[in-house]
Amino acid sequence: MKLSLIKKPVSVIMATVLFLSLMTGLFNFRPQTAHASTTEQTRFLQLYAQLKDPANGYFSAEGVPYHAVETLMSEAPDYGHMTTSEAYSYWMWLEVLYGYHTGDWTKLESAWDNMEKYIIPINEGDGKEEQPTMSYYNPNSPATYAAEHAQPDQYPSQLGGQYTAGKDPLDAELKATYGNNQTYLMHWLVDVDNWYGFGNLLNPTHTAAYVNTFQRGEQESVWEAVPHPSQDDKTFGKANEGFMSLFTKEANVPSAQWRYTNATDADARAVQAMYWAKELGYNNTVYLNKAKKMGDFLRYGMYDKYFQKVGSAATDGTPDAGTGKDSNQYLLAWYTAWGGGLGATGNWAWRIGASHAHQGYQNVVAAYALSDSDGGLIPSSATAGQDWENSLKRQLEFYTWLQSSEGAIAGGATNSYQGAYKAYPAGTSTFYGMAYDEAPVYHDPPSNNWFGMQAWSVERVAELYYILASNGDTTSENFQMAKQVIENWVDWSKDYAFANKRPVTDAEGYYLNSQGNRILGGANPQVATVSAPGEFWIPGNVEWTGQPNTWNGFSGSAANSNLKAVTKSPSQDTGVLGSYIKALTFYAAGTKAEHGSYSTLGGEAQVLAKSLLDTAWGYNDGIGIATTESRADYSRYFTKEVYFPSGWTGTFGQGNTIPGTSTVPSDPAKGGNGVYASYTDIRPNIVNDSKWQYLLDKYNTSFNKVTKTWDNGAPEFTYHRFWSQVDMATAYAEYDRLINSSVPTEPVAPKAPSKPSAVAGNQVVDLSWNNVTGATSYTVKRAATTGGPYSDVAVVTQATYSDTSVVNGTDYYYVVSASNVVGESPNSPEVHAKPMDVPIPAQGDLVVKYRTSDTNPGDNQFRPQLQIVNNGDTAVALSDVKLRYYYTIDGDKPQQFNVDYANIGGSNIQGTFVKVDPAKTGADYYLEISFGAGAGSLAPGANTGDIQIRVNKTDWSNYNEVGDYSYDPTKTSYTEWNHVPLYLNGALAWGLEP
């Protein structure tokens, strides 16, 4: 609901006072732009001041950001003065843009310090161990399986050995990198003021305490959850059991334990913020390295819950335990969790991932930052960069797979159907072996109905589109996918977004056209509107029918004609508005970076973003930008629906016994035998809230208990959520940076060229690099030794150059700088090349095809998969054929040759290890593969079928396959590969030796 005109001038006066205080030096304002302050920059700084004003109440005494200023609320956190990892990640983003606009980066560092202190459960230097037994974790047995269930009433879930967990492939690598395996991720939920009363057991000097809620399946809503401490020594909960026996059932009494859960989207957003900090001028490696470390551990969010092989349960409902990266989904799943024992017998620990991936949690900017040299945040662990590179592509494929015919993005996919690895129903669409899931993780309400999941997630795709276009990458498959997704999404969403107009809908929230008919999807809907000066409206919900096509790769993908989205329920959600405006802004700026000027759709996006920003400012009430919300769901404060098993009774942190005496019997149809309590039965202190009497009176006078409707109107609340205010503040800041900064200003020297490449040929080195915005020429420089000194070779206007003044067999080192009328950039990173008379690969009738599922180049095995194809017209005896696979041994030890599978029979294949002396680039050994007489002959047009090889050292020490001559982790489907040469009767018949 729009603020009244009476309140509007008050908001302007209050904001002006706050802004003047900021400008007089309180925040050390030092604009870095050449043009005068714009409206958007001014409003960003005003909102920043409102957020930081202690009188407005956004932060606790310990400096922790509250979820909201107000307290009586129930959503993901069920009390306003809790906080989430989401809130912290938004705080990082706020301080990044404040640092950019003012030059003051100290507040970003203070925010990270606070995050590390209060929501990353590590010993941050205060001597308090908050993961005290993680060192006992056994990566070969990460956790004990317990099925997920459809209803909370079906819990506790039996802990048992129905499925053995797979192996954790990251633990050893992380311990080798950081000295321990204490997880550097945020726990998702903190009771900031200890309102629940559980306290912080492992760090009692902190008021803020780690807590958790949702633990009982996809149907457990915010109204059905039982809050409990994350450090459970059984002081609270059921006597001698604590809270654990509400969730899992085991043969013995539950042990005292600590346990934390990470929300992957929040940590990814923190990394995303640090990427932009680096791009916008921040260079303190201490904190950038912390972001890298967070990204390193965040990879656990890519793994199946119990490290089961992806797709292995699809047909028969029996998963296969993973042995390496085969349990990696390369998507950001809903969470990862870890824990361990407390007390004298607490010498154990566990870890799980999650099997369900939601489109709303993906973050392609974080994946780019953590995998690309230009992203600048590649973690230190051996395989982290490759994992995130795989994830970047997989996430973009995920969006492309899930995009409806309208342009909206559907829910996601699961590797554990119905949470119990059940076989997929016939006809289920799949994505890399995972089953399509319309609403992953939770169903009350469905997790992909809220438009915020669209705006949050696709805004990051818009950012990546802008980043790649700005870097000159406009042809790669990743760019093509990002562009297609954001273009289709903007084209869809803008038809349902309005400034200064109100869309016409019916009583059920369906948009209507000028004829009064419901709009049920389709392209280019014509929504009827009425004039409404000063109002904004964006979509509220999306309903889904159908499913996407099974995914077969981007090149073979087609529009999802059977996947439909119906857009409904126009909303004035200010937080979602902020993300939506940023999506429009980054998309518009991306079209200009790609084409030199806004595309038609990009121009429309820019105009809509500006209009929405201007109307939103009218809702600033001096505390922030907020609208009045009608909360029909608040009748559930009074509904008995929190399930407790029969006989379970315990103590809550507020001093009450739960479930209490005013319970009702549970519904047998939901699968349980117990009772239901209400929200207030569990948390009695809620009735002391200043807004409780208003809610109670409204319930008693308006709610019809028969029809379940609010006859005299639902209760209304105005909330100032921290994340929502930051979303709006950063929308103003990003519009100023990306759109206003395109207004002519004083020119500056260009940035250094990025991604230089040098490819050696016969008496030539071909150089290329990314285009640099604002550059008019590039200087190519060359040296005979690494690090220079460099001599100028050429000045060119394009981002390519062929150096023909070179001598074969000589090493050359190149850098490139960019110039314009202002000056010259620093040099690019150095690249190296040695031109030579390149040998031509042998060509014959026999061809070797190669693929690998081994995307971990740093483990203790390598696993090439090979096929031999006969393209000739005569049969060839395989006993006359040999193959050579070249690699580096990385520590000369005895080795073992294994055939995991072969169509022609593993007993017919032999392997011999041969040392290459002198060593060659990428090879100091080769594996020679030969065939016995039992392998038979290869007929014309035939192939051998799969030959799956595995090699290890006898001491099981690790290889490092990076740079190995015959290894290529990008070849995950069979491809001709001349780096595995083939010999016929002892002569090279196909391929190329190193």
Side-chain angles (χ1 to χ4, degrees):
M1 182 178 293
K2 181 73 171 67
L3 291 176
S4 70
L5 294 176
I6 295 174
K7 293 182 72 174
K8 187 174 178 181
V10 176
S11 73
V12 175
I13 293 168
M14 294 179 71
T16 303
V17 171
L18 287 165
F19 181 61
L20 287 173
S21 70
L22 183 148
M23 291 291 287
T24 55
L26 179 62
F27 293 100
N28 189 26
F29 175 58
R30 301 195 310 275
Q32 294 191 327
T33 51
H35 53 79
S37 296
T38 66
T39 298
E40 286 72 34
Q41 184 189 54
T42 300
R43 288 174 175 173
F44 164 68
L45 292 169
Q46 287 176 323
L47 275 171
Y48 183 92
Q50 289 172 342
L51 282 161
K52 290 302 188 71
D53 185 348
N56 286 338
Y58 284 102
F59 289 84
S60 76
E62 290 178 314
V64 176
Y66 290 125
H67 175 68
V69 171
E70 298 77 20
T71 50
L72 181 59
M73 65 191 320
S74 182
E75 38 201 50
D78 59 18
Y79 185 70
H81 278 193
M82 305 181 79
T83 198
T84 58
S85 53
E86 167 191 272
Y88 267 99
S89 66
Y90 270 101
W91 188 13
M92 300 304 121
W93 204 346
L94 177 73
E95 300 298 0
V96 166
L97 288 170
Y98 182 76
Y100 167 72
H101 279 279
T102 67
D104 180 3
W105 295 100
T106 61
K107 292 177 174 57
L108 172 62
E109 295 174 357
S110 296
W112 194 285
D113 289 342
N114 188 282
M115 176 175 69
E116 195 170 66
K117 184 173 184 178
Y118 291 109
I119 201 168
I120 301 179
I122 58 166
N123 178 355
E124 70 281 353
D126 61 1
K128 305 295 185 181
E129 295 296 341
E130 296 178 346
Q131 300 180 44
T133 57
M134 199 65 214
S135 62
Y136 291 101
Y137 172 63
N138 177 6
N140 292 319
S141 182
T144 303
Y145 172 78
E148 298 169 17
H149 299 291
Q151 294 286 342
D153 305 49
Q154 296 170 292
Y155 285 80
S157 182
Q158 182 68 52
L159 279 171
Q162 181 179 3
Y163 303 126
T164 302
K167 295 182 179 180
D168 171 357
L170 297 182
D171 186 67
E173 181 178 293
L174 291 164
K175 283 191 287 193
T177 302
Y178 302 107
N180 63 61
N181 60 352
Q182 292 199 11
T183 306
Y184 193 77
L185 296 172
M186 290 183 275
H187 174 66
W188 85 277
L189 187 62
V190 170
D191 182 4
V192 179
D193 297 332
N194 194 31
W195 184 70
Y196 288 141
F198 297 128
N200 193 318
L201 180 67
L202 294 175
N203 200 337
T205 62
H206 292 177
T207 300
Y210 297 108
V211 293
N212 212 341
T213 51
F214 311 109
Q215 295 287 292
R216 298 189 295 186
E218 62 191 15
Q219 195 61 37
E220 184 183 44
S221 73
V222 298
W223 304 104
E224 298 164 292
V226 180
H228 54 279
S230 294
Q231 301 161 351
D232 192 344
D233 65 352
K234 302 192 280 192
T235 298
F236 300 99
K238 187 176 183 179
N240 203 35
E241 293 182 8
F243 285 87
M244 281 81 74
S245 57
L246 281 177
F247 313 124
T248 55
K249 183 191 311 180
E250 49 190 307
N252 301 314
V253 173
S255 298
Q257 59 188 267
W258 57 271
R259 52 190 182 272
Y260 304 115
T261 301
N262 153 263
T264 60
D265 72 317
D267 295 72
R269 188 183 293 110
V271 172
Q272 172 190 358
M274 295 304 283
Y275 162 77
W276 282 115
K278 179 189 65 65
E279 287 295 295
L280 300 178
Y282 181 67
N283 59 8
N284 187 336
T285 57
V286 172
Y287 289 87
L288 293 175
N289 286 340
K290 289 176 185 287
K292 293 178 184 179
K293 183 176 181 180
M294 180 174 281
D296 218 344
F297 279 91
L298 185 57
R299 290 184 291 158
Y300 275 116
M302 300 178 189
Y303 279 85
D304 175 75
K305 185 173 183 177
Y306 294 104
F307 297 91
Q308 302 297 315
K309 186 175 180 180
V310 177
S312 60
T315 57
D316 62 1
T318 303
D320 297 331
T323 58
K325 298 295 178 80
D326 56 5
S327 61
N328 193 336
Q329 299 159 166
Y330 293 108
L331 297 169
L332 287 176
W334 199 258
Y335 59 83
T336 179
W338 67 106
L342 288 172
T345 60
N347 56 345
W348 52 276
W350 57 268
R351 187 189 296 280
I352 57 174
S355 302
H356 318 301
H358 196 295
Q359 64 88 9
Y361 268 36
Q362 306 313 302
N363 192 317
V364 291
V365 178
Y368 171 81
L370 294 164
S371 66
D372 193 285
S373 58
D374 285 348
L377 295 179
I378 298 175
S380 299
S381 291
T383 67
Q386 185 63 58
D387 279 350
W388 281 110
E389 183 177 330
N390 293 345
S391 180
L392 174 59
K393 181 178 180 182
R394 189 68 56 87
Q395 289 183 48
L396 288 167
E397 290 180 289
F398 197 49
Y399 286 116
T400 309
W401 177 60
L402 291 170
Q403 189 155 50
S404 69
S405 55
E406 285 78 14
I409 310 298
T414 181
N415 190 50
S416 179
Y417 194 76
Q418 296 186 349
Y421 297 103
K422 295 182 180 180
Y424 305 166
T428 299
S429 175
T430 59
F431 177 84
Y432 285 98
M434 301 174 71
Y436 172 66
D437 191 342
E438 179 182 308
V441 184
Y442 64 85
H443 288 181
D444 183 11
S447 66
N448 202 48
N449 282 33
W450 181 49
F451 180 69
M453 281 295 190
Q454 302 282 319
W456 271 0
S457 187
V458 180
E459 185 273 336
R460 300 187 278 263
V461 179
E463 286 189 36
L464 183 68
Y465 168 62
Y466 168 78
I467 290 166
L468 296 178
S470 299
N471 288 345
D473 176 2
T474 58
T475 59
S476 69
E477 189 171 81
N478 283 353
F479 175 82
Q480 293 174 54
M481 287 190 286
K483 179 180 179 179
Q484 176 177 301
V485 168
I486 186 58
E487 219 163 57
N488 291 341
W489 189 86
V490 168
D491 189 44
W492 157 70
S493 63
K494 72 177 179 60
D495 292 330
Y496 298 94
F498 305 94
N500 301 305
K501 292 187 289 187
R502 186 184 307 153
V504 178
T505 64
D506 64 13
E508 295 180 54
Y510 287 95
Y511 289 87
L512 303 178
N513 61 23
S514 58
Q515 289 77 43
N517 298 320
R518 285 180 172 181
I519 297 172
L520 302 176
N524 301 315
Q526 301 299 309
V527 177
T529 61
V530 295
S531 177
E535 294 186 7
F536 71 85
W537 294 94
I538 57 176
N541 285 295
V542 185
E543 293 181 348
W544 297 93
T545 57
Q547 65 174 357
N549 304 320
T550 288
W551 183 252
N552 291 307
F554 178 60
S555 61
S557 62
N560 282 315
S561 58
N562 294 318
L563 178 64
K564 301 290 187 180
V566 176
T567 311
K568 288 183 63 179
S569 308
S571 162
Q572 292 187 309
D573 188 323
T574 53
V576 178
L577 177 68
S579 276
Y580 183 57
I581 291 169
K582 283 182 284 189
L584 296 173
T585 300
F586 272 101
Y587 171 68
T591 67
K592 190 168 186 178
E594 182 184 5
H595 303 294
S597 60
Y598 296 131
S599 68
T600 300
L601 185 59
E604 293 172 356
Q606 179 267 316
V607 170
L608 179 57
K610 173 64 173 170
S611 299
L612 292 170
L613 285 170
D614 287 343
T615 55
W617 193 252
Y619 294 82
N620 192 318
D621 60 6
I623 301 173
I625 294 175
T627 57
T628 302
E629 304 174 24
S630 177
R631 295 303 301 257
D633 63 321
Y634 276 14
S635 62
R636 296 179 76 174
Y637 270 110
F638 307 96
T639 304
K640 305 285 185 180
E641 53 182 316
V642 185
Y643 176 77
F644 287 86
S646 180
W648 198 100
T649 185
T651 305
F652 194 68
Q654 293 179 351
N656 54 305
T657 298
I658 54 174
T661 57
S662 61
T663 59
V664 298
S666 65
D667 180 357
K670 292 185 177 181
N673 175 28
V675 297
Y676 295 139
S678 74
Y679 191 101
T680 52
D681 293 333
I682 309 303
R683 315 161 184 80
N685 286 356
I686 195 69
V687 302
N688 300 322
D689 193 277
S690 62
K691 289 290 187 180
W692 180 258
Q693 192 61 47
Y694 159 74
L695 175 61
L696 181 61
D697 290 345
K698 192 73 174 176
Y699 179 77
N700 288 332
T701 59
S702 180
F703 188 71
N704 188 319
K705 297 179 178 63
V706 176
T707 63
K708 309 298 183 185
T709 59
W710 296 87
D711 292 347
N712 299 313
E716 293 183 340
F717 291 84
T718 300
Y719 288 129
H720 298 82
R721 299 175 182 85
F722 181 78
W723 71 265
S724 175
Q725 299 306 314
V726 173
D727 240 343
M728 283 306 308
T730 52
Y732 287 105
E734 294 290 42
Y735 186 92
D736 178 68
R737 178 171 75 89
L738 297 166
I739 305 301
N740 293 336
S741 63
S742 65
V743 176
T745 61
E746 295 179 16
V748 295
K751 292 183 178 180
S754 61
K755 283 193 174 178
S757 171
V759 178
N762 183 17
Q763 297 183 336
V764 65
V765 175
D766 291 320
L767 298 154
S768 64
W769 53 92
N770 278 342
N771 286 309
V772 177
T773 302
T776 56
S777 65
Y778 302 95
T779 303
V780 180
K781 307 171 187 181
R782 189 178 73 195
T785 57
T786 184
Y790 303 101
S791 300
D792 293 355
V793 174
V795 176
V796 295
T797 58
Q798 302 298 316
T800 59
Y801 177 70
S802 293
D803 185 6
T804 57
S805 61
V806 293
V807 177
N808 283 347
T810 304
D811 289 297
Y812 295 96
Y813 300 87
Y814 295 90
V815 293
V816 184
S817 63
S819 299
N820 62 15
V821 293
V822 175
E824 183 179 2
S825 76
N827 289 332
S828 70
E830 183 184 78
V831 289
H832 163 255
K834 179 189 284 189
M836 62 183 62
D837 188 0
V838 180
I840 299 173
Q843 298 291 330
D845 292 336
L846 298 180
V847 170
V848 178
K849 289 188 173 183
Y850 161 90
R851 72 177 182 187
T852 184
S853 60
D854 179 11
T855 53
N856 180 359
D859 61 7
N860 54 22
Q861 302 176 77
F862 64 85
R863 294 175 281 275
Q865 299 179 22
L866 306 168
Q867 286 184 355
I868 304 172
V869 181
N870 185 356
N871 290 329
D873 54 11
T874 58
V876 176
L878 285 173
S879 58
D880 294 334
V881 174
K882 292 182 178 179
L883 309 179
R884 290 184 184 177
Y885 183 93
Y886 286 88
Y887 63 99
T888 56
I889 194 169
D890 309 300
D892 206 335
K893 300 287 177 60
Q895 299 175 87
Q896 293 176 327
F897 170 79
N898 308 278
V899 180
D900 286 338
Y901 173 78
N903 279 20
I904 59 175
S907 61
N908 295 316
I909 304 172
Q910 297 81 43
T912 305
F913 301 105
V914 180
K915 189 170 187 176
V916 178
D917 191 13
K920 300 181 180 181
T921 302
D924 51 26
Y925 262 84
Y926 64 80
L927 167 66
E928 187 168 81
I929 301 166
S930 58
F931 304 90
S937 61
L938 194 59
N943 68 72
T944 58
D946 279 11
I947 301 171
Q948 298 182 7
I949 302 300
R950 178 167 49 85
V951 173
N952 61 272
K953 302 175 198 175
T954 55
D955 68 351
W956 292 97
S957 58
N958 286 345
Y959 293 94
N960 180 1
E961 296 179 80
V962 176
D964 281 4
Y965 180 77
S966 296
Y967 175 66
D968 186 348
T970 68
K971 290 181 169 56
T972 55
S973 58
Y974 277 116
T975 307
E976 291 187 10
W977 184 225
N978 61 27
H979 282 212
V980 181
L982 179 147
Y983 300 82
L984 184 60
N985 295 315
L988 181 63
W990 188 86
L992 183 67
E993 296 177 340

